[in-house]
Amino acid sequence: MRDYPDRMTPEQARAFRDDVLNIVAQIPRGRVTTYGFIAALAGWPSHPRMVGRTLRYAPEAEQLPCHRVVTIVGRTAPGWGRQRTLLEEEGVEFKPNGRVDMDRYLWTPRLATDE
């Protein structure tokens, strides 16, 4: 396993989990965002895989729209066939290559510094 120079303390890991869950809860219906974008918003841009682990293992995530999180190129989670169906039910369209059309559906929240 890769040794990250910016390893989290247990307190930071708990804060990261809370931030991830809060961000995912805000993704609007019919839009998607990426693991990497969520990690960056949570203050840990080198940890997109930890976003995926958080969504998979945090019991609180079951009540969130986790299906709205995809890879940077619009791929859905491997082994979760229902994800595409859930996104399509919300009006998200896929390209012929099976990826979400990120140009149309990517959600990036306005940050306080954007104003």
Side-chain angles (χ1 to χ4, degrees), residues 6-7 19 24 31 40-41 45-47 65 88-89 92-93 101 115:
D6 55 347
R7 289 188 157 249
D19 289 345
V24 171
R31 301 298 294 273
L41 283 174
S46 65
H47 288 65
E88 287 176 331
E89 287 172 356
V92 174
E93 296 176 6
D101 184 343
E115 299 174 336

Side-chain angles (χ1 to χ4, degrees), residues 18 34 41-42 46 51 53 65 71 74 77 85 87-88 104 107 114:
D18 294 344
T34 70
L41 283 174
S46 65
V51 171
R53 285 187 207 108
T71 69
T85 302
L87 289 171
E88 287 176 331
R104 290 183 63 190
W107 173 74
D114 291 344

